[in-house]
Every structure is written in structure tokens, then in C-alpha cells.
Amino acid sequence: MSEVDVRPLAESEYRQANDLFLASLNVPERSSEERWRRSVTRYEPGRAFGAYLDGELSGTAMSLSSSLEVPGGAVLPAAAVTGVGVRADRTRRGLLRELMHAQLADTRGRGEPVAMLHASETRIYPRFGYGLATRTHRVSVSRFRAELRADAPAGGQVRLVDGPTAEKLLPELYSRIATGRPGLIGRSEGWWSTRLFGTLENGGAQRIAVHSDESGTDDGFVLFEPAKSDHHFDDGSITMQVAELHAADAVATASLWRFLLSLDLVTTIAAIDRPVDEALPWWLADRRGYSVDRLDDDLWVRLVDVPAALAARSYGAEDPVVIEVRDAVLPENAGSYRIGAGGAEPSDDPPHLSLDVDVLASLYLGDVTVTTLAEANRINVHDPAAASRADRLFATERPPWCGTGF
Ligand SMILES: CC(C)(COP(=O)(O)OP(=O)(O)OC[C@H]1O[C@@H](n2cnc3c(N)ncnc32)[C@H](O)[C@@H]1OP(=O)(O)O)[C@@H](O)C(=O)NCCC(=O)NCCS
């Protein structure tokens, strides 16, 4: 069998790698020159890899420099893994495996204790130690039924901004307000450049509204655009798709929803990536105007440096448990860790619980309990009393939420 060689891509190979990735996802078109000028800014030197078979570029994976907020508020440097694809005639020959191993070694070498990604298919990444760590709601709101109650939070102003203005405002605004919940991540410059490509000024349909509080400080924004349809005024229905809505507090969030619900001619607001505990249905006079269409899996997390990642988050007030972690891909992580209210550290004590590193990642941000994962036979429980203690140690005030596609 031919040897797979994995190495960082040269700059001159970025576009070929990007086209390979788009083809692997069955995206119908290649990047236009204009779009590529934006997309290329996502590539950071040394962070994009090629897998070569018989000397030919046949697979690729890259990461953006990012960060991840963990329970307790610490923000860890993180690799946001994306652009993963293998040429259709060269799949199932171990190219992804080689790419993943090279990328995890690179992430460790950079001192980034976590890697994260959104998975095209859920069965691909657990073998490399990634566990599902946050989930989101996909919701629809009927504009004619979904009036906000008189006591829903209100205040400040909403204004539309054009693309160039958004490019100046949004990166700073996002990094100022996207805090206070585990799962929120940092966005690179290249990420923003690509995200804002489809605005009206660039010939796209994407529009942007910004909320500012009573003192005039910007504290929230929403990106939205109409779904493609051949609607007519007499019998048409227009769905407005919300790509993302981030806000500092309930007043800004409710005000942006109120704005969306005031858009003339629109029948439905469809939003992806909403937090599972969003208060919107409680703000509505008729909550049946709101529906959760899907619970999506969102961020998959890989604890690349388990001791560092465990030590970085906070834990609930409870007696300690000792957890044995198995990690076949990065065996330096394998071992037992004592986790208590004061923190986490390696331990030689006999374990109360044993689990694989991808299962630990699912517990890490607080999305699921130890009890549930033990019921799923994903955790070996050696001491039943320890499972409920671990539930209280890993519990978070709010469910984690990412809300950023990449
Ligand atoms: C997913 C993809 C990158 C896998 O690449 P690949 O080179 O075929 O994967 P490998 O041969 O290295 O497979 C490694 C292991 O993962 C398994 N695997 C790979 N793709 C899988 C899939 N789609 N579903 C389930 N298992 C999969 C393989 O069977 C193999 O298992 P093993 O460890 O038991 O032998 C490739 O199929 C692809 O490009 N798919 C379309 C684009 C895409 O989905 N990209 C991911 C974006 S998040």
C-alpha cells in the first residue's frame, strides 16, 4: 500500500486544498476570486496540513487559532479545526487518521490544551478523542403569532448597519459580549472576513442589525437574510433566516428578537444555533408561535492536554472523585485524576469512575451528566456514590453554548 505523507501546506497550495475540501463536501461551486481573497485569510501559517498519497495532495485539515471559555470563566487557547476533507477516490486509506494525528501533535506543540470542531457526521471524530460538548436549538417563530409580552425586556435602539460598518464594529463587539458562558469561542480575523462576505454590499442578501443600550453602547447584533423563494405578494410566505444572534444581556437579546418580529412581509423567522435555554418562548404572549425544530449537535471538543484542561475549569462544592481517563491516541493523557471543589490533579488513588477521553470531553463543559453517560454504559462506575458526586462537581450554572460555525 502507498505511504501517506502529512506535512504543513505551502501557501501556494492553499487554494488547491480549499477546492479539495469543498469538493469533498459536495459543494456545487468553487470559490470565486473575490470569495477566495477572503477565504485565504483563514489560513494561518503552519496550521493547515496536506496528506499526500504518491506525492499528490489528496486530503487536508486545518485549524484557526481560537479560544474556549470553560466553566468558571477561564478562557483557554484552542484550535478550531475545519477544512477537513479527503479526495473521493482516496477515502478509507487512513488519510484522515494521519491528518488528525499530525494536527493533534501540532496543537499540543502550540500549547493549546483543547481542539474543537463541528462534525459533518457524528461517527467520524470520537475515535480521535472528540466528544460532543455543546448542543443548540434550531427554532422557528411565526411572526403573526409571536408577539412579545408587555413585560418582556425592552430598551435601547436597533439599527441596520452596512457590510463595511459591520466589518469595523462586529469583531470588537463580539469579543466584548461573548463571555460568561462555557462553550463560547474566540473568532479569528480570517473567520470574520469570511463570515461577512455575503452582505448586501458584496452582492449578497445578508443584513446586519446592531443593538445599543440606553447609553448608546453597542451590546448585541444579528445577521439575517431571506430564504431563497419565488414568493409573490398575494400568496407568498417569506422566511427570514437568522445565521447568528449574540447579545450581552436579556434586554439586548429581546430587543433584537422584537426587531426581527417587526420585519414587514416576513411570515417566519428561522434561527439556527440558539442556546437551549434561550428565554424567547417565555417572552411570547403565545408560546405556540415558537417551535424547536431540532436539537443539533454543535461543538465537539478534544481535550488535547487533559491535566491542563481539567485544572483550568472550576468544579461544584462536593467531595472529590478519582476519574481514570483512557486515551489511545494521546497516551500521555491516560491516567487518574482527582477532581474536587479545589481543582483537579493527577492521582495514584484507585479510581471511582473510568472513561474514554471523548466521554470526558462531553462532561467537560457541563452539557451532560455523569449519571446519563453511566446509564449509556459510556462510564464504568466502580463506586456508585461517586457518580452523583461527579454530577455535582461537573454541573454548570447554564448549559454550554457555542453559537459560532467554522
Ligand atoms: C470524513 C473523511 C474526511 C474521512 O477520511 P478518510 O481518509 O476516508 O478516513 P480514514 O481512512 O483515515 O478513516 C479513519 C477511520 O475513520 C472511519 N471513518 C472515516 N470516515 C467515516 C465516516 N464518514 N463515518 C464513519 N466512519 C468513518 C474509517 O472507517 C476508519 O476507521 P478505523 O479507525 O476503524 O479503521 C472523508 O470521508 C471525507 O472527506 N468526507 C467528506 C467530507 C467531510 O465530511 N469532511 C469532514 C468535515 S467535518
Side-chain angles (χ1 to χ4, degrees), residues 6 59 64 69 116 118 137 161 189 198 264 298:
V6 171
L64 316 176
E69 180 166 335
M116 54 206 187
H118 296 284
H137 276 163
V161 298
E189 264 179 53
D264 284 337
D298 187 29

Side-chain angles (χ1 to χ4, degrees), residues 20-21 23-26 60 81-88 90-99 117-125 127-128:
L20 189 159
F21 164 61
S24 80
L25 287 184
N26 302 313
T60 183
V81 173
T82 183
V84 179
V86 170
R87 237 173 72 168
R90 295 183 172 191
T91 52
R92 306 305 178 267
R93 298 193 206 179
L95 273 67
L96 176 66
R97 186 179 308 114
E98 296 298 326
L99 283 163
L117 52 78
H118 296 284
S120 61
E121 293 180 274
T122 59
R123 285 152 50 119
I124 303 173
Y125 293 102
R127 77 192 72 234
F128 305 115

Side-chain angles (χ1 to χ4, degrees), residues 97-112:
R97 186 179 308 114
E98 296 298 326
L99 283 163
M100 287 287 112
H101 286 205
Q103 190 176 55
L104 288 170
D106 178 68
T107 304
R108 260 187 94 89
R110 289 171 189 276
E112 293 166 348

Side-chain angles (χ1 to χ4, degrees), residues 79-314:
V81 173
T82 183
V84 179
V86 170
R87 237 173 72 168
D89 56 349
R90 295 183 172 191
T91 52
R92 306 305 178 267
R93 298 193 206 179
L95 273 67
L96 176 66
R97 186 179 308 114
E98 296 298 326
L99 283 163
M100 287 287 112
H101 286 205
Q103 190 176 55
L104 288 170
D106 178 68
T107 304
R108 260 187 94 89
R110 289 171 189 276
E112 293 166 348
V114 290
M116 54 206 187
L117 52 78
H118 296 284
S120 61
E121 293 180 274
T122 59
R123 285 152 50 119
I124 303 173
Y125 293 102
R127 77 192 72 234
F128 305 115
Y130 286 87
L132 175 58
T134 73
R135 289 170 296 164
T136 55
H137 276 163
R138 193 177 292 203
V139 307
S140 303
V141 189
S142 156
R143 189 167 80 83
F144 298 111
R145 289 187 72 174
E147 191 189 340
L148 265 62
R149 290 165 54 98
D151 57 5
Q157 303 282 337
V158 174
R159 69 187 190 283
L160 286 167
V161 298
D162 62 19
T165 307
E167 304 239 28
K168 287 197 205 96
L169 282 183
L170 264 44
E172 183 278 329
L173 174 53
Y174 172 83
S175 58
R176 187 158 45 79
I177 63 176
T179 172
R181 196 199 272 261
L184 289 166
I185 70 167
R187 296 173 169 186
S188 68
E189 264 179 53
W191 185 93
W192 274 113
S193 170
T194 314
R195 162 58 109 201
L196 295 173
F197 176 72
T199 59
L200 292 177
E201 294 69 31
N202 284 321
Q206 181 171 275
R207 289 195 277 162
I208 302 128
V210 172
H211 180 265
S212 50
D213 67 14
E214 301 288 351
S215 71
T217 304
D218 293 337
D219 61 356
F221 64 92
V222 59
L223 265 59
F224 59 101
E225 65 179 84
K228 286 196 176 65
S229 74
D230 50 357
H231 61 268
H232 303 287
F233 286 137
D234 51 356
D235 61 351
S237 66
I238 299 179
T239 296
M240 195 58 80
Q241 295 172 316
V242 175
E244 62 170 290
L245 186 161
H246 279 272
D249 58 21
V251 171
T253 308
S255 301
L256 287 164
W257 274 110
R258 192 177 283 105
F259 166 74
L260 291 167
L261 292 166
S262 76
L263 292 170
D264 284 337
L265 305 178
V266 170
T267 44
T268 306
I269 317 288
I272 57 168
D273 282 351
R274 301 311 304 148
V276 295
D277 63 344
E278 179 158 50
L280 176 59
W282 297 97
W283 294 332
L284 298 176
D286 174 3
R287 62 180 300 139
R288 291 188 189 162
Y290 162 98
S291 63
V292 173
D293 301 331
R294 260 174 69 163
L295 178 62
D296 287 315
D297 63 273
D298 187 29
L299 203 62
W300 292 70
V301 165
R302 196 334 162 172
L303 303 182
V304 178
D305 182 338
V306 168
L310 286 179
R313 66 153 283 181
S314 65

Side-chain angles (χ1 to χ4, degrees), residues 60-79:
T60 183
M62 66 188 281
S63 67
L64 316 176
S65 33
S66 181
S67 59
L68 175 68
E69 180 166 335
V70 303
V75 176
L76 302 184

